[in-house]
Amino acid sequence: MRGWDDLYPLPVPPSWVPGAAVGILSLHFMQKLLFPYFWADLRYLLKVFTYGLRMEMYRLQGRVVTVLDKFVKLAEKQPHKPFLIYEGTVHSYRDVDRRSNRIAQVFLQHEALKEGDTVALLMGNEPDFIHVWFGLAKLGCVVAFLNFNVRFRSLLHCVSSCEPKILVVGADLLGTLEEILPKLQKDVSVWIMAKDSRFPGVHTLLDKIEAASEDPVPVNRCSANNLKSAVLYIFTSGTTGLPKAAVISHLQILKGAAGLWAFGATSEDIIYITLPLYHSAASLLGIGGCIELGATCVLKKKFSASQFWSDCRRYNVTVIQYIGELCRYLCNQPVKEGEKNHKVRLAVGNGVRNDVWREFLDRFGAIKICEFYGATEGNICFMNHTGKIGSVGRTNFFYKLFFPFDLIKYDFQKDEPIRNKHGWCEKVKKGEAGLLISKVNAKNPFFGYAGNKRHTEKKLLCEVFKKGDLYFNTGDLMVQDHDNFLYFWDRIGDTFRWKGENVATTEVSDVIVMLDFIQEANVYGVSVPDHEGKAGMASLILKHNASLDLEQMYKQVVTYLPSYACPLFLRVQEKMEMTGTFKQQKFRLVDEGFNPSTITDPLYFLDNSKKAYVLLTKELHEMILSGKMKL
């Protein structure tokens, strides 16, 4: 009897097949060993290329498609889909479109606004922030987002620097308006989100919205003809001085809005935004990202660590936005049962420390942390698409073709880039900290700041590596390791970061020296264990025969500065040390910190529970280091 194999003989593969299989396996293992991030890099670069190609196709077709255009199309395509969920109330794409139309109609009827006019917006996180923003954008206006934490002189400076025709103020910020109203320029028309006003000459908006038409404004009012034209002003402390109005173009909004998509978010995602909308992270990446995806956004009035995960469960949140401080606050909450019982799969943000990153993942589950780097006004962005803990992103040969940048040597004493004998800057080696600079060209422009050409010019470096080249100075020190991962190292200049905000030291010192007993103030940031960023500290020189009035000092800083900019520590010195270039010496003071065991000068601490500056004792210092004293 014949066997099965005799009836149906198995085919014999050609002799080259086993060799090919071994070769493919060898190549696979070689790739894993020598190029472990090849496929992740390729996927990311393909996304970057795809998005760039799409925008180039629009340009070749003579079409200018903005994020606002995409939103209006989505309101037609998916009118009933939730766009915003706020305090349990759902606002569909159509709802937001129609209410923003009403607001556009109000200003069209009551104000002689022209295309390109600026309107300043002083509002907290609420749906009407977005309605007003979109409504004004439909009129072709530039909208300036004001930081509602900024007070008095700084706020007046912000308003004047963007030269608005109108200031729109939220109902919960009327106290702030009352502070600045007497000194506000008379040609600025003020509108408040209320039905009646107790301020003479101040217009009300809510009553007029209710009576306005929902019809779209004429298309010629809102159609953009250039992606590089300004559409927003977002304020940033930058590296020096008072806040500056960074010019944000349609192009930058489109790039920011693509961030969530690039990290893998989809139209089915529900994004939770607790960051303030005046920040580019919340407005461009968050709201803009929702529009790019056609997704849903859950908007929170203010971040709450105790309500965070219950909100995520209640609204089936799948994507969250963070800054480093936010993750730390969540990790500092008491441990509860079921903390991994949620649907969050992506966390997008920046500034999280390595230890907090690990603790966050251990405690709250397999969430992909999508760390990125980008400055509001900058022309460079890095995205950590591999999930490498601690890194802000990764670069390679092809990425640098799209977005040319370098890390250059920096002189910390002179506070400027190091140039060789030929006058050129020098690149740092891998593993060394260097100043991040990015090339300014037609594809990666720098739009500068509104109202101050000098500030714009100060952010640019000329003749860096060759004659005629031009680079944007990020003001950030970075390190690139041998695997081409990038890590944030520190900031340069007169600035530090605290509570997720940039603090300009000159702004703080200007407020302190207004006191009649202060001769000079040197403000800097000091590291505090288990806290992101640096806490503010001021070294003070008292006037001759004057004494330190701690009560007056407390009143001054809390009145004129946002809470995150108030110095937590004071140090009283007899004389101010200067550098060789006659600048205030900060490096030694930063190194010495706020330890009363090693510093003989009197030290004081801002105790928020007592609403006063108190003597910084060794016991109090220990409480701060151990985390028992809340900062």
Side-chain angles (χ1 to χ4, degrees):
M1 187 176 176
R2 298 175 68 186
W4 182 267
D5 288 346
D6 295 326
L7 290 172
Y8 301 99
L10 290 172
V12 178
S15 58
W16 55 266
V17 170
V22 171
I24 291 168
L25 281 172
S26 300
L27 282 173
H28 174 72
F29 286 118
M30 286 288 284
Q31 177 260 309
K32 286 283 187 184
L33 184 65
L34 300 177
F35 307 103
Y37 305 103
F38 175 81
W39 295 111
D41 287 348
L42 183 63
R43 281 193 298 271
Y44 176 64
L45 284 170
L46 283 174
K47 283 208 162 189
V48 172
F49 180 75
T50 302
Y51 197 77
L53 188 64
R54 193 193 312 167
M55 292 177 67
E56 186 65 17
M57 289 298 291
Y58 287 149
R59 188 187 69 80
L60 293 172
Q61 293 167 10
R63 295 168 61 196
V64 175
V65 180
T66 67
V67 169
L68 182 64
D69 293 332
K70 293 182 179 187
F71 172 76
V72 173
K73 287 289 183 189
L74 285 167
E76 295 172 2
K77 182 182 174 183
Q78 50 185 42
H80 304 297
K81 180 170 181 175
F83 175 56
L84 284 177
I85 301 174
Y86 180 77
E87 295 182 350
T89 303
V90 177
H91 304 259
S92 70
Y93 274 81
R94 177 185 283 173
D95 294 336
V96 174
D97 185 44
R98 287 181 173 178
R99 189 164 174 85
S100 63
N101 283 344
R102 286 174 179 267
I103 289 168
Q105 294 286 2
V106 169
F107 286 118
L108 198 61
Q109 184 180 346
H110 293 273
E111 293 283 355
L113 285 172
K114 304 188 300 295
E115 185 179 347
D117 283 346
T118 300
V119 177
L121 185 55
L122 181 65
M123 294 179 71
N125 280 19
E126 57 176 295
D128 273 339
F129 181 110
I130 295 159
H131 297 142
V132 174
W133 168 17
F134 288 6
L136 291 165
K138 288 177 178 181
L139 295 176
C141 293
V142 179
V143 183
F145 294 165
L146 299 175
N147 181 339
F148 54 75
N149 292 300
V150 172
R151 308 281 297 281
F152 290 110
R153 173 173 166 266
S154 294
L155 183 54
L156 286 166
H157 161 80
C158 291
V159 174
S160 64
S161 67
C162 63
E163 300 179 340
K165 293 285 179 71
I166 297 172
L167 170 64
V168 181
V169 182
D172 55 344
L173 291 164
L174 298 185
T176 302
L177 173 64
E178 191 171 12
E179 293 171 357
I180 64 168
L181 202 52
K183 294 190 176 182
L184 196 64
Q185 303 101 296
K186 302 304 175 190
D187 59 344
V188 177
S189 176
V190 181
W191 289 70
I192 59 174
M193 295 300 295
K195 291 186 177 180
D196 42 47
S197 170
R198 57 188 169 89
F199 305 108
V202 172
H203 308 281
T204 55
L205 191 52
L206 282 187
D207 53 325
K208 296 175 182 64
I209 292 172
E210 290 177 3
S213 166
E214 290 181 344
D215 294 340
V217 295
V219 177
N220 65 311
R221 288 301 303 254
C222 60
S223 57
N225 51 25
N226 186 355
L227 282 182
K228 293 184 179 180
S229 58
V231 65
L232 292 176
Y233 294 144
I234 297 182
F235 284 85
T236 173
S237 293
T239 51
T240 56
L242 290 163
K244 297 185 283 289
V247 178
I248 307 298
S249 67
H250 288 292
L251 181 64
Q252 286 163 291
I253 295 181
L254 283 165
K255 286 180 178 179
L260 296 179
W261 169 80
F263 276 127
T266 71
S267 60
E268 300 303 310
D269 279 309
I270 297 173
I271 294 114
Y272 187 35
I273 299 176
T274 62
L275 306 179
L277 287 171
Y278 62 75
H279 263 306
S280 56
S283 52
L284 306 193
L285 183 71
I287 299 298
C290 272
I291 295 169
E292 178 64 34
L293 298 165
T296 299
C297 160
V298 177
L299 183 65
K300 187 77 170 176
K301 180 75 175 174
K302 188 179 179 183
F303 167 74
S304 167
S306 60
Q307 296 171 17
F308 190 89
W309 293 112
S310 58
D311 280 349
C312 288
R313 283 187 286 271
R314 179 185 177 189
Y315 298 114
N316 294 315
V317 169
T318 56
V319 179
I320 61 174
Q321 280 193 279
Y322 70 87
I323 53 172
E325 285 289 313
L326 187 150
C327 295
R328 185 176 64 83
Y329 293 151
L330 292 176
C331 289
N332 284 348
Q333 285 290 295
V335 177
K336 295 178 182 175
E337 276 189 43
E339 287 185 327
K340 295 181 181 180
N341 181 24
H342 56 75
K343 295 181 179 178
V344 176
R345 63 186 189 88
L346 297 177
V348 182
N350 53 32
V352 63
R353 287 201 330 261
N354 293 10
D355 57 332
V356 175
W357 189 324
R358 290 188 178 91
E359 184 182 351
F360 187 87
L361 294 178
D362 289 342
R363 184 164 164 185
F364 301 115
I367 301 168
K368 183 183 177 184
I369 303 286
C370 304
E371 181 86 357
F372 71 91
Y373 167 86
T376 300
E377 71 275 43
N379 65 341
I380 187 74
C381 173
F382 300 119
M383 302 177 79
N384 184 347
H385 55 276
T386 65
K388 176 76 175 276
I389 291 179
S391 171
V392 299
R394 182 174 148 74
T395 185
N396 53 49
F397 172 79
F398 296 104
Y399 190 81
K400 289 193 77 169
L401 284 180
F402 287 116
F403 308 102
F405 74 91
D406 280 291
L407 303 180
I408 60 172
K409 293 180 180 178
Y410 193 80
D411 188 322
F412 297 97
Q413 294 297 327
K414 292 182 180 177
D415 204 18
E416 63 185 22
I418 294 171
R419 291 183 181 263
N420 61 26
K421 62 182 180 181
H422 304 294
W424 308 122
C425 294
E426 296 185 339
K427 300 174 186 179
V428 298
K429 296 175 183 175
K430 287 186 177 181
E432 293 180 359
L435 175 65
L436 173 64
I437 58 172
S438 57
K439 196 164 191 175
V440 177
N441 54 30
K443 297 290 183 187
N444 302 292
F446 169 57
F447 295 97
Y449 305 100
N452 199 315
K453 190 178 178 183
R454 186 174 59 87
H455 283 151
T456 299
E457 290 170 348
K458 279 181 72 177
K459 287 296 286 183
L460 295 171
L461 289 175
C462 307
E463 318 274 301
V464 178
F465 301 117
K466 62 181 181 181
K467 202 168 182 63
D469 65 7
L470 190 64
Y471 282 78
F472 171 70
N473 178 1
T474 65
D476 292 323
L477 296 166
M478 310 276 276
V479 175
Q480 182 176 336
D481 70 13
H482 292 278
D483 288 326
N484 293 324
F485 284 99
L486 290 147
Y487 302 84
F488 178 81
W489 199 65
D490 206 349
R491 290 186 65 78
I492 62 163
D494 296 322
T495 187
F496 57 89
R497 196 163 178 83
W498 182 246
K499 303 283 185 185
E501 301 275 2
N502 285 340
V503 180
T505 60
T506 48
E507 181 183 356
V508 179
S509 58
D510 285 350
V511 166
I512 293 173
V513 295
M514 289 164 63
L515 293 163
D516 57 12
F517 54 86
I518 298 293
Q519 177 69 41
E520 200 172 350
N522 184 3
V523 179
Y524 49 97
V526 291
S527 297
V528 182
D530 298 322
H531 287 74
E532 283 85 7
K534 294 184 177 181
M537 186 163 183
S539 170
L540 309 174
I541 306 296
L542 302 178
K543 287 183 177 176
H544 184 61
N545 291 331
S547 58
L548 179 62
D549 187 334
L550 292 173
E551 186 179 343
Q552 199 60 30
M553 173 66 75
Y554 175 81
K555 199 177 294 184
Q556 179 79 354
V557 298
V558 297
T559 301
Y560 291 101
L561 292 171
S563 58
Y564 58 79
C566 295
L568 283 185
F569 305 102
L570 303 177
R571 176 175 179 172
V572 182
Q573 295 188 288
E574 291 187 5
K575 72 170 187 175
M576 191 68 69
E577 290 186 46
M578 310 298 282
T579 67
T581 53
F582 302 103
K583 293 181 180 178
Q584 290 178 335
Q585 172 63 263
K586 296 181 188 284
F587 299 106
R588 187 179 62 80
L589 295 172
V590 170
D591 287 340
E592 289 177 356
F594 55 97
N595 188 351
S597 298
T598 56
I599 297 170
T600 56
D601 298 324
L603 297 173
Y604 301 92
F605 169 67
L606 177 57
D607 189 336
N608 284 308
S609 64
K610 295 180 179 177
K611 295 188 175 181
Y613 278 105
V614 298
L615 187 68
L616 181 58
T617 61
K618 292 178 183 178
E619 292 75 24
L620 184 53
H621 180 256
E622 281 299 319
M623 288 177 68
I624 294 168
L625 295 188
S626 65
K628 292 177 182 175
M629 176 61 72
K630 188 178 179 183
L631 302 186

